[in-house]
Amino acid sequence: MGAKDVLCNLVEKELHTDPKRARQILYQKHFPEKGRAPSRQYLANICMNVMLSAYTHPERSAFVSIFTPCEILQAFDLSPVCAEMFSTFLNGAGCEKPFVDAAESAGIAETYCSYHKILIGAAVTRFLPNPAYIINTSLACDANNLTFRALAQEYGKEQFYIDVPYSKDDYAVAYVAEQLHSLADFISEKTGRKLDMDKLSAITRRSAETIRIMQETISWRRTRWLSGDLTSELYESLMMHTCLGTPEAYQYACRLLDDYRKAPLDTGKRIVWMHSNPFWQKPVMDALNYRPDFHIAATEMSYDVWQRFDPSDPFRFMAQRLVYDPFNGPVQDRMAFTRDMAKKINATGVVLFCHWGCKETCGASGLIKKGIEESGIPCLVLNGDGVDRHNASDGQTSTRIGAFLEMLENQDTIGEKS
C-alpha cells in the first residue's frame, strides 16, 4: 500500500465522524517536484498556500467557479475556494473517492462532472466548513448553474450569481459590469465595509499587467523549452483566474518570462492543450511531463485570459474578460483562439481533453477537432477524467496518446508547412 493509499484510508475513516480531523490529516503542505523550472516551483508553492489558506479560514472564504473574477474578493481581503482546484487538490492527495461516494449517496448522478461532484461530496460530509460566500458565474458549463445553487442550499447561504450573456457586445459588458457592482455592494453589506475603489483599481491594474507579461511569453514559447508538467499547467490556470490580480500572480508571470528567456532552445514538439487535464494519470505523465521532445507549450484554461482590456474602469475590465472569454459564445470562438495560439507558438498538434461529465466540451469535441484540423493542425480528442481515477482507462489512454505523439514525430510543424 502506497503513501497516498494510507492517507486516503485515514481521511475516509474520519470523514463521517470527525470531518475537522479529516481536514487536519489532509491539509499538509506538499513539496513541489524538483523537475520544474524555478517559476513553476514558485507557482506550486503559492497555489498550495492559496488553497490551504481558504480552507483553514472559512470565515474569510468564498466558494467560486473558476471563471469568477476575484479582484473584488481581494479588495475585501477574502480568499476564494475554486471548485476545480479544490477537487484537483484532493485527487493529488489520492483522496477523491470518499467524496465521490458521498456525493453519489446524496443523489448526485454518476455522470455529473467529477470536479463538482467531489466539491459537493466535501460539502455534504462537512469536510469543507461553512464559507462566508458562494459566488459563481454562468460561464461556462451546466454544472456551474447547479452545483453552487446546491451548495447554497446545503450551507444555508445566499448565492450570488453572475449571468454572462451569450452575445459579445457592449450591452453584454455593461450588463455584467452592473452585476459586478452589485456583487461589491452585496459583500459590503455583509461585511459592513465600504469597497475601497483605490485598492480595487490597483488590483485590476496589476491584473492587466500580469496578462501583458503572460502575452510576452508567447514568442518565447515558440522557440524555448521550459521544464514542466501537467500539474503546473493546472496551477497556471488557477493563477490566471482565481488568483489574477494578486501580487503572487504578477510575480509568477515575471518569473516565468525570466525563465523562458534563460531556457534552452526547443528542439522538440510543442503541443497546445485544450480544457483541463488528467495530471494524475501515468500514461499522460509519462508522455508529457519533463520531456524536451514532447511538451505542452500552452494550455487553453490559462491563455483564454490573455486578452488586453483597459483596466481604468475595474468593473468593465472584469466584465470584458467574462464576455469576451472564448469559453463564452459559440464553440467556433474556442477553435479560433486555439488555432491562433497554435500558430503563434509553432505548435505541432492540439490535444482536446474531454473530461467526464463536461457535456459542453464532450458534445462539441467533433466540431472542435474538425475546425482545428481544417487549418492543418492535427488534433487528438482524448477522453478521460481530470480528477476521478475510476472514470479513466490507462490502457486506452496510453494507446491513443502514444499513437498521436508518434504521428506528430513524423510530420513537420505548422510553421514549416506554412
Side-chain angles (χ1 to χ4, degrees), residues 64-86:
V64 300
S65 57
I66 193 167
F67 292 100
T68 303
C70 291
E71 288 98 331
I72 295 172
L73 298 179
Q74 295 168 38
F76 283 102
D77 302 313
L78 298 172
S79 299
V81 180
C82 171
E84 289 77 7
M85 294 312 297
F86 171 75

Side-chain angles (χ1 to χ4, degrees), residues 2 14 133-134 156 384 403:
E14 300 286 350
Y133 303 95
I134 295 176

Side-chain angles (χ1 to χ4, degrees), residues 54-297:
Y55 307 148
T56 53
H57 298 285
E59 73 283 357
R60 300 198 305 270
S61 72
F63 290 171
V64 300
S65 57
I66 193 167
F67 292 100
T68 303
C70 291
E71 288 98 331
I72 295 172
L73 298 179
Q74 295 168 38
F76 283 102
D77 302 313
L78 298 172
S79 299
V81 180
C82 171
E84 289 77 7
M85 294 312 297
F86 171 75
S87 298
T88 297
F89 172 71
L90 290 181
N91 173 281
C95 290
E96 78 276 6
K97 184 180 184 301
F99 302 98
V100 170
D101 293 344
E104 291 182 357
S105 295
I108 302 301
E110 182 185 355
T111 54
Y112 199 63
C113 171
S114 301
Y115 290 106
H116 288 256
K117 189 190 300 182
I118 291 170
L119 182 67
I120 291 173
V124 298
T125 58
R126 287 302 186 267
F127 180 85
L128 266 180
N130 202 329
Y133 303 95
I134 295 176
I135 305 165
N136 71 290
T137 73
S138 58
L139 196 66
C141 65
D142 289 342
N144 277 335
N145 296 317
L146 301 172
T147 298
F148 290 89
R149 184 172 61 198
L151 291 174
Q153 293 172 351
E154 180 68 29
Y155 285 104
K157 292 288 182 180
E158 183 179 355
Q159 174 195 14
F160 194 95
Y161 180 74
I162 303 166
D163 177 40
V164 183
Y166 190 76
S167 60
K168 300 185 177 187
D169 50 38
D170 285 343
Y171 172 81
V173 171
Y175 173 66
V176 174
E178 183 179 354
Q179 292 178 76
L180 295 175
H181 273 286
S182 297
L183 173 59
D185 293 340
F186 173 76
I187 297 175
S188 181
E189 181 182 345
K190 298 291 184 183
T191 60
R193 292 174 52 190
K194 185 178 179 180
L195 174 65
D196 185 337
M197 277 303 301
D198 289 339
K199 184 176 182 179
L200 179 62
S201 294
I203 291 169
T204 52
R205 285 197 301 271
R206 189 159 54 225
S207 292
E209 181 62 9
T210 301
I211 291 169
R212 185 196 66 76
I213 296 170
M214 292 301 289
Q215 284 184 318
E216 198 173 335
T217 69
I218 293 174
S219 61
W220 296 95
R221 292 168 189 259
R222 179 182 179 90
T223 58
R224 303 298 174 100
W225 175 71
L226 194 64
S227 180
D229 59 335
L230 292 151
T231 305
S232 294
E233 299 300 321
L234 291 176
Y235 282 152
E236 187 174 283
S237 299
L238 176 67
M239 280 287 107
M240 289 298 103
H241 289 87
T242 307
C243 298
L244 187 63
T246 64
E248 291 80 7
Y250 172 75
Q251 277 296 318
Y252 167 66
C254 292
R255 294 182 186 209
L256 182 69
L257 179 59
D258 186 56
D259 278 351
Y260 266 115
R261 287 169 172 162
K262 298 173 182 176
L265 287 174
D266 186 4
T267 58
K269 305 295 185 182
R270 288 170 294 283
I271 293 169
V272 174
W273 190 282
M274 295 185 72
H275 209 214
S276 62
N277 74 55
F279 71 102
W280 56 270
Q281 196 171 11
K282 190 176 186 304
V284 189
M285 293 167 62
D286 290 345
L288 298 172
N289 282 4
Y290 310 119
R291 286 183 60 172
D293 51 345
F294 294 104
H295 66 100
I296 300 172

